[in-house]
Amino acid sequence: MSPRGVAVPDIRERLFAAAERVVARGGPGALTSRAVTDEAGCSKGMLHAHFGGGLDEFVAELVLDRFSRTAALAAELPQRAGQETVAANLAAVGTALLTSAGPAMAGLAVTRPGAATRFRDAMAAGAPGFASVQEAVAAYLTGEQRLGRVAAEADPEALALALVGTAHHLLMTSWPGAPDPTAQLHRVIAALAASGAAR
């Protein structure tokens, strides 16, 4: 336990990681400020000290942080045109989307009214999320099209929407203990890669 008045390095990430463990272990209903700080091994007021809006702000910020990381990963995708296979590159981004915040955490961000409002406001203000990932995937597929690895008649923007929309659907309709949605995502990616294959 961190003593009061002592700075805790990387406290945001420590609290975020603790919250993910709490939810993974006990489901969304187990997430409380006290459960998070106990799991993180820090004082009980630490969460409220760093997130003035309480648990709702904390949940929204956690999901935004994880989506931001995925968007940063996706931003590197266009540079991978011509490397590996198209399906493997799409799978890397799709899998990152599914695991960005985890189904339970993403569900909390849209079902807790306060968190949902903060999350939507941040998205509307341009926070990186699904739209950023979709743009990066479309740019990647356009690059592959120029290299002849995606058919000239394929629609990169539609294929990107299909991938990101599928990941979004699977993320929002999964829950702890449900079957892993990764296999479903990979089936869709294989179908997308086949439909866009150069002929």
Side-chain angles (χ1 to χ4, degrees), residues 18-19 21-36 55 108:
R21 292 192 300 272
V22 168
V23 172
R25 195 169 51 240
L31 190 71
T32 64
S33 299
R34 172 169 278 189
V36 171
L55 196 57
L108 274 171

Side-chain angles (χ1 to χ4, degrees), residues 9 16 20 59 64 66 71 98 102 115 120 124 136 142 152 154-155 163-164 168 173 176-177 179 191 196 199:
F16 286 164
E20 289 171 326
V59 168
L64 288 165
R66 295 328 194 213
L98 280 188
R120 282 194 303 269
T142 298
D155 183 341
L163 171 62
V164 174
H168 181 271
T173 57
R199 293 171 176 78

Side-chain angles (χ1 to χ4, degrees), residues 32-145:
T32 64
S33 299
R34 172 169 278 189
V36 171
T37 53
D38 284 352
E39 179 71 23
C42 59
S43 66
K44 292 177 175 54
M46 191 70 77
L47 187 146
H48 290 277
H50 287 269
F51 300 91
L55 196 57
D56 283 339
E57 179 182 337
F58 174 77
V59 168
E61 288 294 326
L62 188 160
V63 176
L64 288 165
D65 177 82
R66 295 328 194 213
F67 281 164
S68 177
R69 292 182 183 199
T70 302
L73 173 68
E76 300 173 2
L77 188 60
Q79 302 167 30
R80 295 195 54 78
Q83 301 176 38
E84 300 290 338
T85 65
V86 172
N89 289 327
L90 294 178
V93 171
T95 301
L97 272 173
L98 280 188
T99 58
S100 56
M105 291 308 302
L108 274 171
V110 296
T111 56
R112 290 181 65 94
T117 298
R118 291 172 185 276
F119 182 77
R120 282 194 303 269
D121 289 348
M123 288 287 117
F130 289 109
S132 302
V133 174
Q134 184 178 327
E135 289 170 9
V137 172
Y140 162 72
L141 290 171
T142 298
E144 293 286 22
Q145 205 170 38

